[in-house]
Amino acid sequence: MRPEARAARALLAIALLLGLALRLYPQHRFQPGPEFQIHFPRNAVLDVVDRNWKPFNVLHGAAFLDLLRLVYSPWYGVGHLLGRFHDRLDFLVAFVRDPFPFILVGRALIVGFSVATIWLVGRVGTLAFGPWAGACGALVLAVTFVHVRESHHIWLDVPAGFACLLATATALH
């Protein structure tokens, strides 16, 4: 590998680590704007309790809600096997008593999409314009205020951006 390509890869790695650090830092705290924190986890828990896989709102699609349900369902199943949840209503009661663990799971999924988006920006930039463009693009996204802020909300913006970039990277590849 050429030295300039190696340096571009190092910059991309720095961008990924910096992006991860900015997105993980305040995850353990409750944040303002609870509607952006509890909406999807609440609906996913209700759907697990109801055994319902229909989206609560088809306007935004159901993929992210389905992903949350795919995570919450085994959480309930393991809790049921271990005796923590006697039935699905106990799972709902656990959410009502303390929704924060459910919020943290949603935030972790969003952080995963966010870091993957930074990597995809690097990939698309590399495919289109070369390794330095990809690394610089990833670094810019890693520190962009709006992307960092949206990476702390359990909302559809970051997964939607990831999906768009994934389609673009696939088309360029």
Side-chain angles (χ1 to χ4, degrees), residues 9-51:
R9 278 194 168 195
L11 183 60
L12 178 60
I14 289 168
L16 288 169
L17 289 173
L18 181 60
L20 181 63
L22 287 172
R23 284 149 181 83
L24 282 181
Y25 167 65
Q27 292 296 338
H28 61 286
R29 294 186 177 150
F30 188 77
Q31 299 170 4
E35 67 277 4
F36 293 118
Q37 304 299 314
I38 205 161
H39 186 66
F40 278 93
R42 179 189 61 229
N43 284 295
V45 166
L46 288 173
D47 288 345
V48 168
V49 170
D50 289 341
R51 297 182 180 141

Side-chain angles (χ1 to χ4, degrees), residues 10 20 24 26 28 31-32 47 62 64 70 81 91 108 142 144-145 155:
L20 181 63
L24 282 181
H28 61 286
Q31 299 170 4
D47 288 345
F64 184 68
L70 282 173
L81 288 174
F91 191 59
T144 299
F145 174 76
W155 204 247

Side-chain angles (χ1 to χ4, degrees), residues 8-9 18 21 26 32 34 38 40 59 61 63 73 80 92 99 103 109 118 127 133-134 143 147 153:
R9 278 194 168 195
L18 181 60
I38 205 161
F40 278 93
L59 179 65
S73 293
H80 182 69
L92 178 61
I103 290 172
L109 290 172
I118 295 169
L127 289 170
V143 298
H147 197 261
H153 294 159

